[in-house]
Amino acid sequence: MYFKKITLLFFLICASSGFSQTLSLKEAITTGLENYGSIRAKSNYSSASKETLKQSRRDYLPNLNLSAQQDYGTINGQNGALYGFNGLGTASSGPTLPDQNWNSAFGALYLVNMNWDFFTFGKTKEKINLAKIDVQTKERDLNQEKFQQEIKISAAYLNLLASQRLLISQQKNLYRAEVFKKTAAARVKNGLLAGVDSTLATAEVSKAKIALNLAKNFVKEQNNKLVDLMGVAPQDFVADTLFVTQIPKELLVSEKTTDSLHPLLQLYKTRIDYSNQQAKLYKRFYYPTMTAFGVLQTRASGFESNYGTDQTAFSRNYWDGVNPDRSNYLVGIGISWNLTTPFRVSKQVSAQKYVSQALQEEYNQADRELKSQLSFADDKIKITLDNYAEAPIQVDAAKRAYIQKSTLYKNGLTDLTDLTQTIYTLNRAEIDRDIVNNNVWQSYLLKVAAKGNFDLFINEF
């Protein structure tokens, strides 16, 4: 009968709190990984790095340029030196005549140009390698973000579960207080007890209602934290309570060693590799670049070949000016080497080595912190397991004391103060039991976070 009442209380709590659905931990994690903003952003960063790798490979392709222009103008020539500073100036060519004239005609230039840096002394290869490591860095950054999100969602889920179990305990406490308020009021009315007992019982009911309201508020806070981590619209969830009454199975078997590196350390390692690869790429700029090139050029002009002696030998007809009649080709191999580049790039190499050393120190610090966290988690697990074993004993003793005192009170053999103390003790024992059970899973989650293998935790469900 008592169990049926408690079951009914739980459903009443769910209805009054507005809970809409039961949510499993796996569902919460899956939803959070799909919707959380930072994970979706880093997923796009990872995709971008893969596209950049493809672009780096295509950079090795030769340049092939097609060009065509058609012009109309004069061709007065003049002896003298000229430098086309910033590309300014014209390329008009013609005879140097004693006087200016304004004879003009159409002209055209058709050009195919190819150049290919076919041997770069490793620059292209190292650039591709750098892009590959960048892909690994972005992917491991994404994996680290997912791992952290899994841990955060699991912790928030356990907190929500603990708050909902505390809510049930406070509801049970209010139920007990209201029962004995009715009992005390009836006995006072019949003259069996002093009126102060009824007043004290009323105070205990009010106290239990305040504690219940605080528990409801705490449930709402934990629910909102879980909603934020899942990236969903505001709604109320009921956490699955089936697993929390037992301890993780992995704690009952011998621990398995694993060689897998923590996701955070994997991220730091790829950052170090990326920095070292940048230094390798910078060193390749010490060397020259060998280029193959070829040009096919076709020109057209409205000026005849004897225009230098006969200034009437030109045509303003468009087709005469753009119809090609002279072609040239050129192929060759060249090498370019800026001899001052090694002096400049050497400092980039030195700076990058310091960056690599800094990243290595960050890696070492993260490794030390994870080992310290793992040791702390092991100690915490031992303590929580001891408390897990003691909690049922405390609850059982508190229940027996409560039943004993309530029986004595009903028979007029003790006062309400003693009964109130046993109600408080029982309530405190039930709360401790709820917290202790949850703390076993929280401490195990802390160990999983330090080890970096979330499968150890999620496989428990």
Side-chain angles (χ1 to χ4, degrees), residues 222-242:
Q222 300 307 315
N223 186 84
N224 288 347
K225 290 180 180 179
L226 181 59
V227 165
D228 291 340
L229 290 171
M230 290 173 61
V232 297
Q235 54 190 291
D236 294 317
F237 295 111
V238 177
D240 186 2
T241 61
L242 294 179

Side-chain angles (χ1 to χ4, degrees), residues 56-289:
S56 298
R57 287 171 172 158
R58 293 180 182 183
D59 280 345
Y60 188 65
L61 297 175
N63 299 315
L64 182 62
N65 302 308
L66 299 178
S67 174
Q69 59 173 292
Q70 296 176 349
D71 314 284
Y72 183 80
T74 61
I75 60 167
N76 289 293
Q78 185 178 30
N79 295 323
L82 175 67
Y83 175 65
F85 183 69
N86 285 338
L88 302 178
T90 63
S92 298
S93 61
T96 304
L97 301 175
D99 299 307
Q100 167 72 29
N101 70 69
W102 299 104
N103 297 334
S104 56
F106 286 97
L109 172 65
Y110 307 99
L111 180 70
V112 178
N113 172 270
M114 185 279 293
N115 61 83
W116 179 29
D117 295 337
F118 68 94
F119 190 72
T120 61
F121 292 88
K123 285 191 283 289
T124 301
K125 178 182 177 181
E126 298 300 344
K127 185 178 179 181
I128 293 174
N129 290 337
L130 183 65
K132 289 180 180 178
I133 297 178
D134 185 56
V135 170
Q136 295 178 6
T137 302
K138 295 298 190 298
E139 288 180 343
R140 290 182 177 177
D141 190 21
L142 175 60
N143 292 338
Q144 160 67 4
E145 187 71 19
K146 287 182 177 180
F147 176 75
Q148 291 295 331
Q149 192 67 9
E150 289 169 338
I151 296 297
K152 290 178 183 178
I153 291 175
S154 299
Y157 186 90
L158 291 175
N159 288 337
L160 175 62
L161 175 59
S163 68
Q164 291 176 354
R165 288 177 65 85
L166 290 175
L167 181 62
I168 295 174
S169 295
Q170 294 299 351
Q171 185 67 50
K172 290 161 59 178
N173 185 58
L174 175 59
Y175 174 78
R176 287 190 290 262
E178 288 177 337
V179 168
F180 282 96
K181 176 186 175 183
K182 294 178 181 178
T183 301
R187 292 176 66 83
V188 169
K189 185 177 181 179
N190 294 328
L192 300 177
L193 291 175
V196 69
D197 278 25
S198 178
T199 304
L200 289 174
T202 301
E204 287 300 318
V205 171
S206 295
K207 180 180 178 181
K209 288 181 178 179
I210 292 174
L212 179 61
N213 288 332
L214 291 175
K216 288 180 179 179
N217 184 67
F218 184 56
V219 169
K220 196 64 179 178
E221 289 179 358
Q222 300 307 315
N223 186 84
N224 288 347
K225 290 180 180 179
L226 181 59
V227 165
D228 291 340
L229 290 171
M230 290 173 61
V232 297
Q235 54 190 291
D236 294 317
F237 295 111
V238 177
D240 186 2
T241 61
L242 294 179
F243 71 91
V244 81
T245 55
Q246 55 189 358
I247 62 175
K249 295 185 290 292
E250 282 293 327
L251 298 180
L252 303 177
V253 299
S254 57
E255 185 175 351
K256 300 177 181 178
T257 59
T258 176
D259 295 331
S260 61
L261 202 60
H262 193 284
L264 180 61
L265 298 182
Q266 291 181 13
L267 175 59
Y268 276 118
K269 185 176 183 301
T270 53
R271 286 177 175 175
I272 294 171
D273 293 340
Y274 185 83
S275 179
N276 291 334
Q277 183 60 38
Q278 278 187 315
K280 290 182 180 179
L281 176 59
Y282 291 152
K283 288 181 179 179
R284 293 298 175 178
F285 286 99
Y286 291 171
Y287 305 105
T289 298

